[in-house]
Amino acid sequence: MKSILIKHLLALLALCFAVLGGAHAQELAPDALVKKTTDEIISQIRSDKELVSNSRKLLDLVDAKVLPHFNFTRMTTLAVGRPWRDATPAQREQLVRQFRTLLVRTYSTALEQYSDQTIEVRPLNMKPGDAETTVRTQINQRGGPPIPMDYRMEKTANGWKVFDVTVEGVSIVTNYRSTFATEVSRGGIEGLIKTISDQNSKLEQRAAAKK
């Protein structure tokens, strides 16, 4: 049985497929963007064997191509929940920065999990003028059942941005919210910032040890 972490890794693998692209891709409808970039990135991974085994290369890829398509401020706000309102502007800035780093370092390994999975994009149910939508997909994998995923996206002045991913009914944002709530109850906002920072340091050390 796959753990929630592995499912989330697979989710970000599909998410990387879904959001990679340039300004031209942003002109597409969300489901068309998913389909177009899925084909492009699968082709790239299959042609560059070094990509899935080079941690630094994967981090650079995620940082340069994926992150611009995330709304990290909204993701952090949702993940922190009610305590966000009590945080100072400086604390909010730190939370967004540390949470961003946590997601990058934790989920960049998603690309290492690629082993010929395919992504099926479901028809999009969106009305003209909608500012938010859900792109529904599933990961088809050998030897296992399909993994359904929902991508929550919002229309901004800079194109469509992802602010949550749900894997088999489990929201990444909600999953972090329960963990963050525990940390805030123990040490307040500063305690949460320190906990995320410490986790980032551990992940950085592990990545360095692999080199």
Side-chain angles (χ1 to χ4, degrees):
M1 180 179 295
K2 288 182 167 60
S3 66
I4 291 296
L5 175 59
I6 293 301
K7 290 176 181 176
H8 283 173
L9 290 177
L10 289 171
L12 196 68
L13 169 63
L15 185 57
C16 290
F17 294 160
V19 301
L20 282 172
H24 175 70
Q26 293 177 357
E27 299 172 3
L28 298 175
D31 57 338
L33 172 60
V34 171
K35 179 66 174 67
K36 177 178 182 293
T37 54
T38 293
D39 294 341
E40 292 176 352
I41 301 308
I42 288 179
S43 176
Q44 181 178 340
I45 291 177
R46 287 175 176 172
S47 64
D48 186 356
K49 301 302 182 182
E50 181 187 358
L51 187 61
V52 295
S53 60
N54 188 317
S55 297
R56 183 69 265 168
K57 201 170 182 179
L58 288 175
L59 282 171
D60 290 343
L61 177 64
V62 171
D63 189 64
K65 298 295 185 179
V66 177
L67 300 193
H69 299 276
F70 277 80
N71 184 339
F72 277 104
T73 298
R74 184 170 182 184
M75 289 186 74
T76 307
T77 301
L78 293 172
V80 174
R82 187 181 184 88
W84 177 265
R85 292 182 291 182
D86 299 324
T88 66
Q91 288 175 328
R92 291 179 178 181
E93 182 179 350
Q94 291 183 67
L95 283 168
V96 173
R97 184 172 64 252
Q98 292 295 339
F99 189 44
R100 176 186 185 277
T101 301
L102 177 64
L103 290 177
V104 172
R105 293 199 174 280
T106 301
Y107 295 119
S108 64
T109 55
L111 290 175
E112 298 177 8
Q113 308 297 314
Y114 180 73
S115 58
D116 292 327
Q117 294 96 340
T118 60
I119 314 301
E120 181 179 345
V121 182
R122 301 295 191 180
L124 182 65
N125 183 16
M126 184 176 71
K127 299 177 181 178
D130 282 354
E132 292 188 2
T133 191
T134 299
V135 177
R136 303 183 188 281
T137 72
Q138 69 178 30
I139 294 180
N140 299 315
Q141 54 183 347
R142 295 179 180 178
I147 300 176
M149 287 168 295
D150 296 342
Y151 304 107
R152 295 290 296 144
M153 303 179 72
E154 63 177 344
K155 182 80 178 225
T156 73
N158 297 316
W160 288 94
K161 303 286 184 179
V162 177
F163 64 88
D164 195 14
V165 182
T166 299
V167 188
E168 294 186 329
V170 179
S171 159
I172 290 178
V173 165
T174 302
N175 191 52
Y176 274 111
R177 185 184 300 153
S178 61
T179 302
F180 287 176
T182 299
E183 296 301 329
V184 171
S185 67
R186 291 174 178 172
I189 295 294
E190 287 298 326
L192 173 60
I193 294 172
K194 184 178 185 304
T195 296
I196 302 175
S197 178
D198 290 345
Q199 182 64 25
N200 286 332
S201 296
K202 292 178 182 178
L203 292 171
E204 184 177 5
Q205 291 171 5
R206 291 175 187 173
K210 292 180 180 178
K211 296 180 180 179

